[in-house]
Amino acid sequence: MINTLRLLDIMARLRDPVSGCPWDLKQDFASLIPYTLEEAYELADAVERGDADDLREELGDLLLQVVFHARLAEERGWFGFDEVAGAIADKLVRRHPHVFGDAVFASDEERHRFWEASKRAERLEKGKAEPPASVLDGLPEPLPALMRAQKLQQRAAQHGFDWNAVGPVFDKLREELAELEEAHAAGDPEQIREELGDLLFVAVNLARHLELDAETALRASTRKFIRRFQHIERQLAAEGRALADCTLAELDALWEDAKRRERLP
């Protein structure tokens, strides 16, 4: 608690119109968004790497973004950090009646339905006289595409628009791949783009049916690609060679060597 108050005081001093930091004084809600998103992704990276020291640091960096936004709001007379903390505390209690009340849920699915119903009720209480026109409303556009696709599919599935088994999803994936190949053969750039998007969308649906997070899975594969490619670079550097000196077959052999090494104990 002492350090929280200290952080809030430091933020206030940074934003002091007379003695504050010029860079901090220039910031507004919009200018902070890129930093806020960057810190969230750096936190995710620390979690996935299992680095406790980085995790502590990235949590602090993300907390700074919350404190900064709250300070900007306080300066405008809207609300302060304490109101932010109080609102999320109230929301957690409200959405967990099985912990803070007498409610009993028979399954995770029933608990999740209550959670979604609570979110809809809260949106209506914010002054919206009518419910959303679509059950898909309310998901922010700036979400990463894979994440947004998976959340949209989850919303639709909650209302019965879903396959009841994973088999048909594999079939749909093969169907979309065939359509992409046909579009490529036809040479229509717009159709190729559309079919590629459809293929990715179904791949996200497959991840959901496999109870995996598509965004996390792709990040892991991206890290794997980097790891294997850097193995190629190291091997070539040890031989005094550059990537441009090699044939694709040579590079592929080094790639396969990287894969073999990863399988070793």
Side-chain angles (χ1 to χ4, degrees):
M1 187 63 181
I2 293 175
N3 281 325
T4 302
L5 294 175
R6 178 169 172 248
L7 177 59
L8 293 171
D9 180 63
I10 290 171
M11 189 73 254
R13 292 182 63 182
L14 290 171
R15 289 283 300 177
D16 186 280
V18 177
S19 59
C21 170
W23 185 89
D24 290 278
L25 287 168
K26 288 192 299 185
Q27 304 312 309
D28 57 24
F29 292 110
S31 69
L32 288 178
I33 290 299
Y35 301 103
T36 306
L37 293 174
E38 180 181 347
E39 297 301 350
Y41 286 122
E42 289 181 357
L43 172 61
D45 178 63
V47 169
E48 290 170 357
R49 288 186 288 105
D51 189 321
D53 289 337
D54 274 2
L55 176 60
R56 181 187 65 249
E57 182 174 342
E58 297 303 341
L59 282 168
D61 290 345
L62 188 57
L63 177 59
L64 171 61
Q65 294 301 310
V66 176
V67 167
F68 209 146
H69 281 280
R71 178 65 194 181
L72 292 176
E74 186 173 1
E75 291 170 1
R76 288 158 176 76
W78 296 350
F79 54 81
F81 180 83
D82 191 60
E83 287 84 357
V84 172
I88 188 59
D90 291 344
K91 183 186 294 185
L92 287 171
V93 171
R94 188 167 60 247
R95 292 188 183 178
H96 293 82
H98 53 303
V99 176
F100 301 102
D102 299 326
V104 176
F105 297 127
S107 65
D108 281 344
E109 183 178 351
E110 184 178 333
R111 178 196 54 76
H112 186 72
R113 283 199 301 269
F114 173 83
W115 180 277
E116 290 299 323
S118 297
K119 288 169 66 175
R120 287 193 296 273
E122 288 163 7
R123 286 195 293 267
L124 290 176
E125 288 175 5
K126 290 179 180 178
K128 298 179 181 178
E130 298 294 333
S134 168
V135 298
L136 303 182
D137 287 350
L139 288 176
E141 284 279 355
L143 282 176
L146 290 181
M147 184 185 298
R148 190 163 188 264
Q150 191 153 348
K151 287 181 176 294
L152 288 169
Q153 292 168 6
Q154 288 168 343
R155 287 270 187 93
Q158 289 161 12
H159 294 268
F161 191 73
D162 195 15
W163 285 291
N164 56 12
V166 72
V169 191
F170 280 108
D171 293 338
K172 187 65 175 175
L173 192 67
R174 285 187 283 267
E175 176 188 325
E176 294 296 348
L177 179 59
E179 291 180 1
L180 176 58
E181 290 175 335
E182 290 174 7
H184 180 261
D188 183 343
E190 187 62 26
Q191 188 66 21
I192 292 171
R193 182 198 59 76
E194 181 177 339
E195 296 300 343
L196 178 59
D198 291 346
L199 180 65
L200 292 171
F201 195 82
V202 176
V204 171
N205 213 343
L206 178 60
R208 185 176 61 83
H209 274 267
L210 296 174
E211 298 183 353
L212 297 171
D213 178 71
E215 193 77 25
T216 302
L218 182 57
R219 282 202 302 270
S221 290
T222 301
R223 287 197 303 273
K224 180 168 62 177
F225 177 86
I226 293 170
R227 188 170 62 245
R228 291 176 179 176
F229 192 85
Q230 289 175 341
H231 168 79
I232 294 174
E233 291 177 312
R234 287 193 299 271
Q235 293 298 106
L236 291 176
E239 299 171 11
R241 304 168 68 197
L243 290 165
D245 300 329
C246 303
T247 65
L248 180 58
E250 289 174 314
L251 295 175
D252 192 55
L254 288 170
W255 179 271
E256 291 299 323
D257 179 59
K259 290 172 61 176
R260 284 192 297 272
R261 289 170 182 265
E262 288 179 355
R263 288 194 291 266
L264 293 174

